[in-house]
Amino acid sequence: MTESSVQTQGRPARPVAEVALRPGHADDADECGRICYEAFRAIAERHGFPPDFPSPEVAAGLLGFLISDPGFYAVVAEQDGRIVGSNFLDERSTIAGVGPITVDPAVQNAKIGRQLMVAVLDRANERSVPGVRLLQAAYHNRSLSLYAKLGFELREPCVTLQGRPLREQIAGYSVRAATESDLDACNKVCFHVHGHDRSGELRDAISQGTARVVEHDDRITGYTTDMAYFAHSVGESNNDLKALIGAADAFGGPGILLPARNGELYRWCLDRGLRVVHVMNLMTIGLYNEPAGAYLPSVLY
Ligand SMILES: CC(C)(COP(=O)(O)OP(=O)(O)OC[C@H]1O[C@@H](n2cnc3c(N)ncnc32)[C@H](O)[C@@H]1OP(=O)(O)O)[C@@H](O)C(=O)NCCC(=O)NCCS
């Protein structure tokens, strides 16, 4: 391993890996996916949690998709010509999203993660992005500390909830598939709740057929890009989200992310049998407004 070291007062020197950073290419997906799978599996198993990705192939599929999508910036770290980590920035909407960031477990804790984070934050600065967000696995002391040191503020603990579909309707709230013509109304709801829209993600979800809207009093009062880990939802009230959660056929990936301080909605889900998988922290830099409504964040985008 190519490395130097830093002497920290009163503590042993920590290795600093010298890495080359470069944009990701389509043929990096397999190796980045293997590292992504191994890195998440190692940290999850150490804490007794299920792995985020079921296999290296699934992780490679997701990263390959992100690398090839022009809406995402991909950065890869190489050491002696070998890939040792990667990171991503979702640039489709006003607020950019970071992740997944992963470093090969064999070379972790040597400042490679820091360099990959600085790379995407530099990119966000260059593009004058007003705010950056991420979801952090609360049990991982290292990433929590790294992000805090880089300036991220902890905004909200979120519970990942999983379980059988509720198949429940909320009186006065109807749910249907979203179409392109709903974009403006949905963006308005998001703007009302967050102070900015997430139109890039929503547009993609509509074209993929996963987005749904909820209507109340003959107007759109909420939407979801999918009831899933990789998707977000907003509503003017908890009833909008209850209608969307109640109408979901499944909760995709590890589950839906629910802000734990929304006690009413949290208890409503628990009362219906949903179970907590793990806790994730919503962290942000720059523009962040305390939400003025109900929402479920996405883990990535
Ligand atoms: C999270 C991850 C990307 C970080 O990369 P890394 O190369 O291991 O981390 P780095 O060495 O760059 O940075 C770790 C920082 O946390 C600090 N740190 C580590 N453990 C700490 C602790 N218990 N308390 C306080 N600070 C701690 C280190 O001192 C270092 O800070 P510094 O750069 O100011 O010295 C990597 O560990 C990883 O891939 N983990 C598994 C996947 C994952 O959890 N991804 C993030 C999902 S949110």
Side-chain angles (χ1 to χ4, degrees):
M1 178 164 122
T2 313
E3 62 185 39
S4 56
S5 65
V6 279
Q7 185 69 50
T8 36
Q9 253 183 347
R11 278 178 286 136
R14 236 164 48 79
V16 180
E18 284 167 22
V19 292
L21 299 177
R22 62 162 175 81
H25 307 307
D27 53 7
D28 298 327
D30 284 352
E31 185 55 8
C32 289
R34 183 195 66 75
I35 290 170
C36 182
Y37 168 74
E38 294 293 349
F40 276 114
R41 186 178 62 86
I43 190 71
E45 283 182 355
R46 201 174 313 149
H47 293 82
F49 287 100
D52 289 60
F53 293 96
S55 67
E57 291 74 26
V58 170
L62 172 70
L63 299 199
F65 170 75
L66 300 184
I67 289 171
S68 62
D69 188 325
F72 291 80
Y73 173 67
V75 57
V76 167
E78 279 183 337
Q79 194 176 51
D80 302 328
R82 191 175 64 85
I83 293 177
V84 289
S86 61
N87 197 8
F88 297 83
L89 190 70
D90 181 347
E91 302 180 323
R92 291 174 298 168
S93 289
T94 311
I95 303 294
V98 177
I101 174 173
T102 45
V103 172
D104 191 328
V107 292
Q108 282 180 7
N109 213 19
K111 291 193 182 272
I112 298 175
R114 171 180 274 272
Q115 293 173 68
L116 285 165
M117 284 300 294
V118 169
V120 298
L121 292 175
D122 283 351
R123 163 89 175 183
N125 272 334
E126 279 158 25
R127 297 169 72 98
S128 303
V129 169
V132 178
R133 62 185 289 281
L134 58 78
L135 269 290
Q136 184 269 339
Y139 59 77
H140 194 355
N141 296 348
R142 192 187 305 158
S143 61
L144 179 62
S145 307
L146 174 63
Y147 303 156
K149 283 178 175 180
L150 290 170
F152 281 88
E153 300 293 346
L154 203 164
R155 299 297 185 182
E156 185 73 51
C158 299
V159 284
T160 308
L161 292 172
Q162 187 53 276
R164 295 157 72 97
L166 307 186
R167 308 208 187 285
E168 180 170 333
Q169 291 184 357
I170 303 297
Y173 293 78
S174 56
V175 175
R176 63 167 172 81
T179 67
E180 283 276 327
S181 60
D182 298 322
L183 260 172
D184 280 355
C186 292
N187 287 339
K188 273 191 193 128
V189 176
C190 190
F191 196 91
H192 168 78
V193 174
H194 289 302
H196 57 81
D197 66 43
R198 299 186 68 176
S199 59
E201 297 104 303
L202 177 58
R203 192 181 289 278
D204 282 357
I206 290 174
S207 68
Q208 287 154 10
T210 57
R212 300 183 116 190
V213 294
V214 53
E215 290 173 315
H216 174 60
D217 282 345
D218 296 326
R219 62 185 188 85
I220 289 176
T221 48
Y223 74 87
T224 180
T225 53
D226 197 3
M227 269 301 148
Y229 202 50
F230 297 99
H232 74 271
S233 312
V234 285
E236 291 180 4
S237 72
N238 277 345
N239 274 349
D240 296 304
L241 289 196
K242 287 175 187 173
L244 290 164
I245 295 169
D249 293 329
F251 304 110
I256 51 172
L257 287 156
L258 189 148
R261 289 186 305 160
N262 187 343
E264 192 221 325
L265 188 59
Y266 186 12
R267 281 184 287 276
W268 185 85
C269 290
L270 292 175
D271 288 347
R272 281 150 183 80
L274 297 189
R275 306 275 297 172
V276 176
V277 179
H278 52 50
V279 179
M280 304 283 286
N281 290 317
L282 172 63
M283 301 182 81
T284 67
I285 286 184
L287 177 66
Y288 177 79
N289 302 302
E290 194 59 35
Y295 75 107
L296 308 180
S298 57
V299 75
L300 293 182
Y301 53 91

